[in-house]
Amino acid sequence: MTITSPHLGSPAVWTDAKLLHALEEVVETELNRHLKVTKDWMPHEYVPWSDGRNFPGFFEDGEAWEKGQSKVTEIGRIALVVNLLTEDNLPSYHHEIASLFGRDGAWGTWVHRWTAEEGRHGIVMRDYLLASRAVDPDKLEQFRMSHMSEGFESDNRHSMLHSVAYVAFQELATRVSHRNTGHQSGDPVCDRMLARIATDENLHMVFYRNLLKAAFELAPDLTMQAVRDVLVNFRMPGHGMPGFERFAAQMAIGEVYNLRIHHDDVIQPVLRFLKVMEVDGLGPEGQKAQEEIGLYMGGLDSEASKFDEKLAARKARMAARAAG
């Protein structure tokens, strides 16, 4: 998008409504690009239906769930439940982004298309988990009811720009989490399914990342501040689910998602693509935000290194225990 207007970066100029209007052309361009490169796929084709059998209840031949019925690893089970419960909150996510971005024009078309694509993820993951008996179906449903009954409110619902910045990072975080879950699952069928989902999430990230790039061109100071705020307060959308802190700790140890992955595979790639630390011509608030992003990344890298050391020591202890 070519910007011919003078640099307008103050809150007095850029309201959410004005930014939504100014970015409409970019949204349409990105939507058209997305529709050209994305491929429709059928969730039922990724599910091992022949592995399925009746559960107890109304069926006389129902077989109770037992952990040994599936080849999925323990960390795979944990991550799959977290990932699915996160996807389950799609109605709340749709409400949030539809309220922020609107239901008309290119914005509205994208909101509905994104929702439809995300819906596939929950469908295929639940069908896989039930057919393959990877997790306890009763507990899974209890978790879903508890999680969805709480609802979801975005930390960034106060600002369209903050929301765009958040999803640019969050979609990539979700892609990485799904991909690593597949790698750690111990089941090639699960790995293949999650690789398909991860492909969607990556395309969603590209859409929002490119939108964020356009926002930097329009309102660099405000966009820099939004990125700063999002990074220092970043939380995954599933943070409200029961037991999330414990699950997150297990996923960190299991190398599905941890501080090192968050720093190296999620935040850094987006910052590098957008050349965030190279943006010049900023006003005082934009410069301050840029400096704080640099400081935050340094601190995050340091914390990630400490975690790496603890994880390496834990692996060494486990290896020694196994050898002894």
Side-chain angles (χ1 to χ4, degrees):
M1 182 178 182
T2 302
I3 308 300
T4 56
S5 59
H7 170 37
L8 302 171
S10 72
V13 175
W14 286 115
T15 62
D16 262 13
K18 288 182 179 179
L19 275 169
L20 279 167
H21 178 72
L23 290 169
E24 178 92 20
E25 182 183 337
V26 182
V27 172
E28 184 174 2
T29 298
E30 289 302 312
L31 172 62
N32 290 334
R33 181 198 54 75
H34 177 83
L35 293 175
K36 286 180 181 178
V37 299
T38 192
K39 294 181 180 179
D40 275 340
W41 55 280
M42 302 299 138
H44 55 269
E45 294 179 356
Y46 288 80
V47 179
W49 298 106
S50 60
D51 291 349
R53 48 204 185 277
N54 293 336
F55 289 101
F58 293 104
F59 297 100
E60 293 183 2
D61 63 343
E63 182 181 350
W65 179 83
E66 292 180 6
K67 187 177 291 187
Q69 292 168 345
S70 169
K71 64 185 73 172
V72 172
T73 61
E74 185 62 24
I75 186 58
R77 297 179 206 279
I78 293 167
L80 280 163
V81 169
V82 170
N83 291 352
L84 176 56
L85 291 179
T86 299
E87 300 285 358
D88 276 334
N89 249 345
L90 182 61
S92 290
Y93 307 150
H94 174 84
H95 173 75
E96 292 279 325
I97 66 170
S99 299
L100 277 166
F101 299 156
R103 294 176 173 83
D104 301 320
W107 279 106
T109 302
W110 167 254
V111 166
H112 295 305
R113 175 71 192 197
W114 175 87
T115 303
E117 291 184 7
E118 289 287 347
R120 284 177 174 152
H121 303 167
I123 291 169
V124 71
M125 289 179 69
R126 174 165 280 100
D127 286 348
Y128 165 81
L129 291 178
L130 296 180
S132 68
R133 293 186 168 235
V135 301
D136 184 333
D138 293 345
K139 287 186 177 179
L140 182 65
E141 178 60 10
Q142 291 162 6
F143 274 137
R144 188 191 71 83
M145 287 296 295
S146 176
H147 185 39
M148 292 193 69
S149 295
E150 289 296 317
F152 173 81
E153 285 189 343
S154 169
D155 294 332
N156 302 287
R157 61 189 178 277
H158 62 287
S159 162
M160 182 277 292
L161 194 53
H162 281 70
S163 295
V164 170
Y166 175 74
V167 288
F169 294 99
Q170 180 266 319
E171 292 282 6
L172 182 52
T174 303
R175 178 235 179 235
V176 168
S177 181
H178 281 311
R179 201 69 192 94
N180 289 342
T181 298
H183 292 329
Q184 301 288 350
S185 69
D187 182 8
V189 175
C190 180
D191 191 25
R192 184 165 57 246
M193 171 194 67
L194 292 176
R196 176 59 260 188
I197 293 175
T199 298
D200 280 1
E201 302 290 10
N202 197 64
L203 290 175
H204 296 164
M205 178 276 294
V206 170
F207 178 94
Y208 288 118
R209 184 194 64 186
N210 292 350
L211 199 56
L212 190 58
K213 180 181 179 182
F216 264 113
E217 295 178 12
L218 280 170
D221 288 291
L222 286 181
T223 305
M224 190 69 74
Q225 292 171 71
V227 169
R228 183 265 320 275
D229 294 344
V230 162
L231 289 183
V232 301
N233 297 298
F234 187 88
R235 296 194 295 177
M236 291 293 274
H239 62 80
M241 70 180 60
F244 179 77
E245 290 78 11
R246 178 166 53 87
F247 293 149
Q250 292 169 313
M251 289 169 68
I253 293 171
E255 298 182 88
V256 172
Y257 201 93
N258 55 38
L259 287 176
R260 176 54 61 200
I261 292 169
H262 185 60
H263 178 278
D264 291 0
D265 300 338
V266 176
I267 299 182
Q268 283 283 35
V270 176
L271 293 182
R272 277 198 303 266
F273 178 86
L274 297 173
K275 296 183 171 64
V276 169
M277 302 311 296
E278 300 171 31
V279 175
D280 56 14
L282 295 166
E285 290 302 314
Q287 288 180 352
K288 179 183 177 184
Q290 188 180 49
E291 291 169 1
E292 289 175 348
I293 290 172
L295 290 171
Y296 171 77
M297 291 303 293
L300 181 61
D301 186 46
S302 178
E303 289 300 310
S305 294
K306 293 177 183 177
F307 175 82
D308 292 341
E309 293 173 4
K310 291 180 180 178
L311 186 59
R314 182 179 186 276
K315 288 180 178 179
R317 288 195 303 271
M318 293 179 67
R321 195 174 303 143

